[in-house]
Amino acid sequence: MREYRFQATPETVEALRQLRGAWRGMMVAEHSITVVLQDQRAVRIQSDTVDVESLFDAHRLQAEVEDAEGMYGVPVDAFANGNNDIVLFTGVTWSEPQGAVRAEGFSAQSVMHFSGHPGQLSDTAEVVCITTDAFVIAASDGSGVLIRTGLRPGSVDVERNPDKVRAFLVDRGYSAA
């Protein structure tokens, strides 16, 4: 197995740390999420892509701090007071050898690519890229928001439904059911 890493940079980790502070609002688009902080700064989160090997891409979350002058976003009351917590999650993207996985409509010569968490990685994976594919921000009242790389390349998904956030945390082994 050939293994690569495409995880959060120190700059991204530092930008995400800012989400612990008080929020003014959040703006969600297909390819980015911007959290506007009370201190006139914003944290912009987007998907970053790398071509690991020919025809094999991996995605990670990238964040940067920018000026928020004139930005407000939709208020997210639970995060307005600060004291938020953030947890980053490791994901994997891998390919299976030709013919190892069959799917309707694909030839026996097709190479299949998968994404998931490290516990889902198959023993037959040929190429693996370890990524930072998600994070959860928890407010002091216990509510949370999940931000993760989207199903469509380059997209970012936001989930605020408590049941879905909890299911993600259980699936990733972070909390018990």
Side-chain angles (χ1 to χ4, degrees):
M1 169 178 25
R2 298 182 305 279
E3 182 178 306
Y4 301 90
R5 294 188 178 274
F6 190 55
Q7 295 175 286
T9 64
E11 294 81 13
T12 288
V13 171
E14 185 55 36
L16 293 174
R17 282 189 177 121
Q18 307 313 303
L19 299 177
R20 294 176 178 168
W23 297 15
R24 185 183 318 158
M26 183 166 61
M27 298 180 295
V28 178
E30 181 179 5
H31 295 285
S32 68
I33 287 89
T34 303
V35 175
V36 182
L37 304 172
Q38 293 286 1
D39 66 3
Q40 302 298 315
R41 296 179 304 147
V43 178
R44 185 170 187 268
I45 301 133
Q46 60 192 9
S47 178
D48 189 15
T49 305
V50 66
D51 182 16
V52 177
E53 288 187 3
S54 179
L55 300 175
F56 180 72
D57 292 341
H59 307 274
R60 70 176 174 194
L61 292 173
Q62 174 189 8
E64 60 189 2
V65 177
E66 54 188 39
D67 180 40
E69 187 175 335
M71 298 170 85
Y72 293 95
V74 176
V76 186
D77 293 335
F79 299 95
N81 295 325
N83 297 320
N84 306 312
D85 195 15
I86 183 165
V87 179
L88 277 68
F89 290 92
T90 298
V92 290
T93 300
W94 71 95
S95 69
E96 295 288 341
Q98 289 181 348
V101 178
R102 301 294 302 262
E104 187 175 324
F106 291 92
S107 75
Q109 305 307 316
S110 295
V111 175
M112 300 293 284
H113 298 272
F114 300 89
S115 290
H117 62 78
Q120 295 172 309
L121 183 62
S122 79
D123 293 335
T124 58
E126 197 169 52
V127 179
V128 175
C129 187
I130 299 168
T131 64
T132 303
D133 69 334
F135 60 90
V136 172
I137 307 144
S140 57
D141 71 355
S143 61
V145 61
L146 164 64
I147 299 177
R148 64 189 306 179
T149 55
L151 292 176
R152 287 186 308 271
S155 66
V156 180
D157 292 339
V158 176
E159 183 58 64
R160 294 189 56 204
N161 178 304
D163 293 332
K164 291 182 179 182
V165 173
R166 189 176 310 105
F168 173 86
L169 293 171
V170 169
D171 184 52
R172 291 296 178 102
Y174 188 75
S175 69

